[in-house]
Each structure stands twice: as C-alpha cells, then as structure tokens.
Amino acid sequence: MTFPQFVFRNVIRNKRTYAAYFLSSAFSVLIFFVYALFIFHPDIKNGVTASLAVQLMVAAEVIMYVFSFLFVLYSVSTFLKSRKREFGILMMHGMTRSQLNRMVFFENMLIGIASILTGIGAGIITGKLFLMIGSRVIGIEPLPFILSTRVLIITISAFLILFFCISLFTAVLVRVNKLIDLFQAGEKPKKEPKTSVFLSMVSAVLLLVSYYLAATATVYTLLFRMLPVIGMTIIGTYFFYTQLSVFITKLLQKNRLLFWKKTNMITISSLAYRLKDNARMFFLVTIVSTVAFCAVGTLASMNVMNEQIDNEYPAEISYIAMDEEPLHQQNLKQIESELKEKQLRYQKNQVPIKIVEIASSSSKVPYPPEELAVISFSNYKKIAEAAGYVFTEKPLAELGTLKMKTTSLGNSDSLSFILKQEGIKLEPKRLTEHVVLPWQLVYDEGMVVSDELYEKLTPVSSELFTGFYIEDNEKTLGIADTLVKDGVAFPSDDRSYSMTVSGTLLNIQMSMFKMMLFVALLIGAVFFITAGSFLYFRLYADLDYDRRQYLTIKKIGLTDQELNKIVTRQLALLFFVPVVVAFIHSGFAFMALQSYFTLSIAKEIVIVLASFLAAQLIYFFFIRYNYLRNLKKSLI
C-alpha cells in the first residue's frame, strides 16, 4: 500500500466523524460560489439597488471566509485530539514524526479538495435558481446563468489557500507525547471539574446587567449601550459555561432527593464533566447561534416597515414651496396629472408655514439652527385629520407651543427658542401627538403654536405645504420622478422646493431590506449548520469514552429503556442548552430593537426563532437515532 492510498483509506475509515465537517465546508463553498456568481455577473447594471446588492454580497463573502477559517481550524484540532490512540499505534509500528505530519496534512487537503469540488458542483446545479431569486429580490431583470472562469478561479483559489494554511498549521502543531500517554489518552479518568464561586457570580452579574441594559434601552440610548452590552454578554457567556453551569450542577449533586432518584445520578454526574469539557464549544455555538438569530430576526422584523412608513409620511406626497414662483403651480399640476393617470383618488390640503429667525436657543450643539418652521394649531389639526388620525389634543393657550413630532420614533428633548422678533420665546412643554410633516421637510426642527401667537409672528419668509393624501402609499411609487430623486427632493441653489414621495421611499427601503434579509438568511444558514457541526464533532469525539462508560454500567443491570432515557437527556442538554441561551440573548437583543419601531415586531421574531428551533429539533432526533445505534453496537 502506498502512502497516498493509506491516507485515502484513513479518511474513508473515519467518514462518520468527518461527515459533518465535510458537509459544512462544502456548504460554505457553495454559498461563497453563488455569491461570486452574482457579484461578477456581466449583466449586473449600475444602480442604487444593484450596487448595494453587490456590496452586501462582497461583505458576506468576507465574513463567511473568515468564519470558515475559524471553523475549519476548530474542527481539525478536535479531530486530532480524538485520534491520539490511533497516532500511538502508528508510531509504535514505526511511523516517524515527519510522516505523521504529512499524513495529517494530506488528510486535511483531501477533505478540503473534496469539499471544494462538491460545493462548486452544487453551486453549478443551484446557481440558476439563486440568480433568479436574487434578481427578483433587488428588482432587476432575471439574470441568465453564466459560469465565468473568474468565479471558478476565485472560489477554488480562496478555499485552496484556506485549507492549505490550516493543514500546514495543524500538521506543525501535532503533539506527539510518550506512546503510553497516546495509548491511554481516551482511558485516563477525567479530573474532577473545579469552579470559582467568584467567577460564577461575575458571570451572573454580567449577564443580568447586560439583559437589563438591553431591555431598558431606548432609541436614544441604544447606540451608546450596544458595545458594552455585547462585551458583557460575551464575557458573561464564557464564564457561564466554564464556571456558573458547573457550579449549578454541583449544587444539584448535593440535593439528595433529586440526585439519588432513578438514573439522575448518572445524568447529573456526567453532566458536570460534559459542561466543563465542552465549555468552549458551547460558548462558540451560543455566540454563533445568537449572531445568526439576531441577523435574520432583525431583517425579518423589517416587514413592519410598510405599516410604519404610513406614520412617518402621513401625506403620501408632500410638497413645500419656498417662494411664489409659477414653477410650483406647474409641479403641483404635474403631480395631480400623474395621480389621475394612475386613477388614484386623493385628498389635497394646503397650509402656510412661517419661517422665523432665532436669536438664541437652549441647544448645546455646535451649530444651532438659525431659523425655525412654525405652523398654527388649527392648521396642524387640519392636516392631522386629513392623514386619518383621531385628533384628541386640546387647543393651545395664547402663548402655548408644541414641538413638532417629525418621526414616529419620537424626537429629541424639546428645546426653547428666543426669536429675534420682540424677544418672543417659544418654550414647548411636549411633542405633538402626531407626525404631520416628515423630518426631511422641516429638518427635524418645527413648532406648532396657538393661532393667536401665529398671527403675531413676523416671518423672514413664508412657505406653502401641499399634502396629497392617498389610501395606498405603495401606489405612489414612481410618481413625480422628474421632481425627486429616490423619493426625496431637498432645496438647493437651483431648486426652491422640498418634496417626499412615500411609495418610492418605501420601495427603496423594502428593496434594501429584502436584499439584506436574502444575504442574512444564507449567512445565518451557514452559521447554524456550522453550530450543529460543532455539536456533532464533540459528540463523536467522546463516543469511545461513552461506550466504555455505558458498557460498565450495563453490566450492573442498566436496561435499554434506561440507556435510551439517559442518552436522550444528555444529548438534549448538549444540543439545546447553547440554543436556549442563544434564544435568551436574542430575546433581549430584540427587546432593544423594538425601541426602533412604534409597531410590534414580536410576530416576526417568534416566526424566526420557531423556525430555528424546528430545524434544531429535526437535527437532534437525527443525531440521537444514529448515536444510539452506534452506541448499542458495542453493548451487544
């Protein structure tokens, strides 16, 4: 037998152990390949959506490549640890250190090359489907399947380099101890797991504080709390598995009523060792799963965007004329003409806006506003009712003032302004209940004043707001495209008006989020499958040890039913503890995300988490069946 044949048979003989590693690697190659098909497709045209899609997929390629490197490195190191006895036998029969290194190197390269070929083959088969779905998501003409040499070269080169570097690195780091240590690697009794009460408490405190900060975050504090919460959660999770979980298990061992009940002694005793041995793996699976859940859940929650944009843009088309030029009448007639062409029924409302000069304000920003948009309370009520709001606000007193709410998320704290006109002070006590003018039209600083005060104000200029109110904002897509760019027009040297078209804005935002969700779903799938692979590796790495343990217990009367019960409990803990912790982490992350929405995103989040849980359950029952079958072979 030649050396290459020996390496090949080694891989085939350990195919069960290598299966999850091979399939996960092939799946990563598949996703990398189909993204490259899209990125380098010759028919991709320049444009906002197509350009954004390419950028997202390039970012996904980089994330996936870095993650694949770490995944392969962890997987290979796990295999090497589980094969010490095999290495000892080979060394006893005369294999040299250099031959052992070559064997490990060639085995890794063989699996890597097979993964690349399998992934690319699957990508060629599914590439057309991916391009069709991707084209539909970003709203372009369907892309034909074109297999370019560039895509093949990039994919093959990237993963050949990855597997070569990992194979070289692991071959150098193969530790050859004394033969007796290699032979006894799987038979040495495990040391009693030790824990630190202090670190266990640190873990609990860090997780509780991070959960509290996430649950109480607001739209204004979320950005400041994000990094500290992520840092505390990661550190707290690591110590949870290495310290706190083992500490809790030891407390359970001291509870005699629970510990001595039926087969609980076996389950709880081995649980402490499994938690300590697999702490790093549990930590990795939890963090990877949390990232996958949060990425997919965050983007899936954008489905509420259609409903929320109704609150952000109460007038489906808003237009503010900043002077009395005849151009504005022409623009308004063009909008009405296009609405009639689309046979859209609309209600039109016009209210005047006064622009007043500010002498000073309570704002602490470096460049406070010099002018302020003001409307009267009666006009505020008029356009609020036109937008379909139930108006319940009481009329303002003579000097009463409200800060204009320009986003459904709520504006910053109300500021007081002293006007240049006769020292008039505008000091709002609260925000208006409704958004009537979007922030793009008043630059986030507007006031509603009483009708009496409005009449007294002397403006530096006057503007006219025109709102077109339509039942379905999606139908305004493309209206007045000659007047706006991507649904918004800001005033400039050659433009004396500002304008928003909610249907166009909604379409752009939804296209962007659909693309992000499409990319996140595939990345999330890679992360989730990889997390399952971590569990598979760890499980089969301990298979020989478990065989000896259960064989010993079976000799003293363990029944098949009790064996099934013990194994199912232990596998359930192995599979679902990281997922449950990841669910808890994600749940608090979504509570923080909710602060960005005025509408509930609970439905979308529940669907995402339930989908991941269903996939994990299927994977669990599949692995349980195969694990029990392999375990019982040695117990007959």
Side-chain angles (χ1 to χ4, degrees):
M1 184 191 302
T2 63
F3 193 78
Q5 288 176 329
F6 176 74
V7 171
F8 178 78
R9 291 183 181 179
N10 249 355
V11 173
I12 298 300
R13 186 170 58 252
N14 291 303
K15 60 182 179 296
R16 185 192 68 236
T17 307
Y18 282 122
Y21 167 51
F22 167 74
L23 292 174
S24 300
S25 300
F27 188 72
S28 298
V29 175
L30 164 65
I31 302 302
F32 188 96
F33 176 77
V34 293
Y35 277 164
L37 277 178
F38 190 95
I39 293 168
F40 299 106
H41 200 286
D43 291 348
I44 288 287
K45 300 291 190 295
N46 292 328
V48 176
T49 52
S51 175
L52 179 62
V54 170
Q55 291 175 23
L56 286 171
M57 291 186 186
V58 169
E61 294 274 56
V62 174
I63 293 170
M64 195 182 315
Y65 190 75
V66 172
F67 183 76
S68 296
F69 184 90
L70 298 174
F71 163 68
V72 173
L73 182 62
Y74 176 85
S75 304
V76 172
S77 64
T78 302
F79 295 145
L80 293 179
K81 288 178 182 177
S82 65
R83 296 176 64 191
K84 285 186 177 181
R85 184 179 178 85
E86 178 188 340
F87 292 160
I89 295 172
L90 294 174
M91 297 282 291
M92 185 179 71
H93 285 80
M95 177 175 277
T96 63
R97 172 65 187 267
S98 62
Q99 287 176 325
L100 182 63
N101 289 342
R102 281 172 55 206
M103 182 189 76
V104 172
F105 176 84
F106 285 130
E107 283 182 3
N108 291 334
M109 286 303 298
L110 181 62
I111 296 171
I113 292 170
S115 300
I116 293 171
L117 294 176
T118 304
I120 291 177
I124 292 173
I125 295 171
T126 59
K128 175 62 178 176
L129 177 62
F130 176 86
L131 291 172
M132 287 173 59
I133 296 173
S135 303
R136 186 175 181 84
V137 167
I138 68 173
I140 62 175
E141 291 296 319
L143 298 171
F145 179 78
I146 298 176
L147 181 60
S148 67
T149 308
R150 188 179 185 185
V151 172
L152 286 171
I153 291 173
I154 289 174
T155 305
I156 293 172
S157 300
F159 280 91
L160 272 180
I161 292 171
L162 185 150
F163 285 111
F164 178 81
C165 292
I166 294 293
S167 301
L168 192 64
F169 182 72
T170 52
V172 171
L173 291 182
V174 171
R175 294 183 179 179
V176 179
N177 304 318
K178 296 178 181 179
L179 286 180
I180 187 64
D181 293 330
L182 292 174
F183 281 123
Q184 294 180 350
E187 299 180 0
K188 286 182 178 180
K190 295 183 178 181
K191 295 180 180 179
E192 177 73 17
K194 296 180 180 179
T195 59
S196 165
V197 176
F198 172 74
L199 291 179
S200 299
M201 295 302 103
V202 167
S203 169
V205 170
L206 286 175
L207 290 176
L208 290 174
V209 171
S210 64
Y211 291 160
Y212 173 79
L213 292 176
T216 58
T218 65
V219 67
Y220 306 112
T221 61
L222 184 57
L223 291 177
F224 300 103
R225 293 185 180 186
M226 185 179 296
L227 289 179
V229 166
I230 291 173
M232 286 190 291
T233 302
I234 291 174
I235 296 171
T237 303
Y238 180 79
F239 285 129
F240 171 78
Y241 286 120
T242 58
Q243 304 294 330
L244 183 58
S245 61
V246 181
F247 178 74
I248 293 172
T249 306
K250 287 195 169 187
L251 289 180
L252 293 177
Q253 288 177 327
K254 293 179 181 179
N255 185 334
R256 297 203 169 198
L257 289 176
L258 176 68
F259 186 67
W260 291 93
K261 185 178 180 181
K262 297 183 179 180
T263 58
N264 285 355
M265 180 189 296
I266 301 172
T267 304
I268 296 175
S269 295
S270 62
L271 179 61
Y273 291 96
R274 283 187 181 272
L275 288 171
K276 192 71 174 180
D277 291 345
N278 302 323
R280 291 182 181 177
M281 184 270 294
F282 281 153
F283 168 72
L284 288 172
V285 171
T286 300
I287 298 303
V288 168
S289 299
T290 303
V291 171
F293 299 161
C294 289
V296 178
T298 298
L299 294 167
S301 66
M302 299 304 172
N303 285 329
V304 303
M305 186 61 64
N306 190 5
E307 299 175 50
Q308 183 153 323
I309 210 161
D310 279 336
N311 298 331
E312 298 284 346
Y313 301 92
E316 279 63 36
I317 300 176
S318 298
Y319 185 99
I320 289 185
M322 297 180 171
D323 53 35
E324 297 181 359
E325 291 291 325
L327 170 69
H328 301 304
Q329 293 303 318
Q330 296 175 16
N331 291 343
L332 292 174
K333 285 181 180 179
Q334 177 185 334
I335 294 170
E336 292 187 66
S337 175
E338 292 187 29
L339 289 172
K340 289 175 181 177
E341 283 180 15
K342 287 194 171 187
Q343 298 181 341
L344 296 177
R345 299 175 65 181
Y346 63 91
Q347 179 184 349
K348 177 182 173 183
N349 267 289
Q350 291 186 318
V351 298
I353 300 174
K354 288 185 177 181
I355 306 300
V356 295
E357 282 191 296
I358 300 171
S360 63
S361 72
S362 60
S363 174
K364 297 180 181 180
V365 297
Y367 302 100
E370 297 178 355
E371 295 180 343
L372 188 66
V374 179
I375 65 172
S376 67
F377 183 83
S378 60
N379 283 330
Y380 161 64
K381 180 180 179 181
K382 175 184 175 182
I383 53 180
E385 289 177 339
Y389 295 127
V390 177
F391 197 87
T392 58
E393 293 181 76
K394 296 180 180 180
L396 296 173
E398 184 177 352
L399 297 178
T401 307
L402 299 173
K403 182 174 182 187
M404 195 182 296
K405 187 178 181 181
T406 56
T407 170
S408 58
L409 296 174
N411 297 59
S412 56
D413 295 336
S414 299
L415 303 175
S416 60
F417 298 93
I418 297 177
L419 306 185
K420 287 186 177 180
Q421 179 194 345
E422 301 174 1
I424 294 178
K425 186 175 184 180
L426 303 180
E427 193 171 9
K429 300 298 183 183
R430 59 183 175 84
L431 289 169
T432 57
E433 289 185 5
H434 310 293
V435 176
V436 291
L437 298 177
W439 66 269
Q440 292 97 329
L441 301 186
V442 293
Y443 301 100
D444 204 30
E445 291 296 344
M447 290 287 175
V448 175
V449 300
S450 66
D451 292 5
E452 296 83 359
L453 180 57
Y454 184 82
E455 292 299 326
K456 294 178 182 179
L457 295 177
T458 303
V460 293
S461 63
S462 296
E463 299 178 350
L464 182 66
F465 166 76
T466 303
F468 295 88
Y469 300 87
I470 303 155
E471 288 187 2
D472 190 350
N473 60 1
E474 292 184 34
K475 292 181 179 179
T476 62
L477 171 64
I479 294 286
D481 270 354
T482 57
L483 302 178
V484 294
K485 182 180 180 182
D486 298 328
V488 181
F490 293 106
S492 61
D493 294 338
D494 58 349
R495 184 188 294 130
S496 59
Y497 65 87
S498 57
M499 183 177 172
T500 60
V501 181
S502 64
T504 305
L505 288 169
L506 174 63
N507 182 67
I508 291 172
Q509 290 190 49
M510 290 305 293
S511 296
M512 185 170 60
F513 288 129
K514 283 178 182 177
M515 283 185 290
M516 294 170 68
L517 179 59
F518 181 57
V519 173
L521 278 171
L522 295 176
I523 294 293
V526 171
F527 280 21
F528 191 69
I529 289 172
T530 303
S533 299
F534 284 149
L535 297 169
Y536 182 93
F537 300 152
R538 190 67 258 177
L539 193 63
Y540 277 93
D542 293 338
L543 182 59
D544 289 337
Y545 178 84
D546 290 342
R547 280 174 175 167
R548 291 192 297 272
Q549 180 188 35
Y550 289 123
L551 184 60
T552 303
I553 300 172
K554 192 172 178 64
K555 290 178 180 178
I556 59 174
L558 185 72
T559 65
D560 283 348
Q561 185 178 1
E562 289 172 331
L563 175 65
N564 291 346
K565 188 176 180 180
I566 293 170
V567 171
T568 300
R569 282 181 179 178
Q570 292 187 345
L571 289 184
L573 289 168
L574 189 68
F575 270 76
F576 292 107
V577 165
V579 173
V580 169
V581 175
F583 274 11
I584 296 171
H585 289 353
S586 303
F588 282 96
F590 292 137
M591 290 175 67
L593 177 66
Q594 179 66 70
S595 64
Y596 268 108
F597 295 93
T598 55
L599 303 170
S600 174
I601 59 173
K603 177 182 175 183
E604 287 74 16
I605 300 307
V606 168
I607 290 172
V608 169
L609 294 181
S611 300
F612 277 114
L613 180 60
Q616 186 75 353
L617 282 168
I618 294 170
Y619 190 54
F620 166 74
F621 285 114
F622 173 76
I623 295 298
R624 174 187 174 276
Y625 171 78
N626 286 283
Y627 185 77
L628 275 171
R629 187 184 63 180
N630 282 291
L631 189 63
K632 288 179 179 179
K633 283 180 182 178
S634 60
L635 303 181
I636 298 173

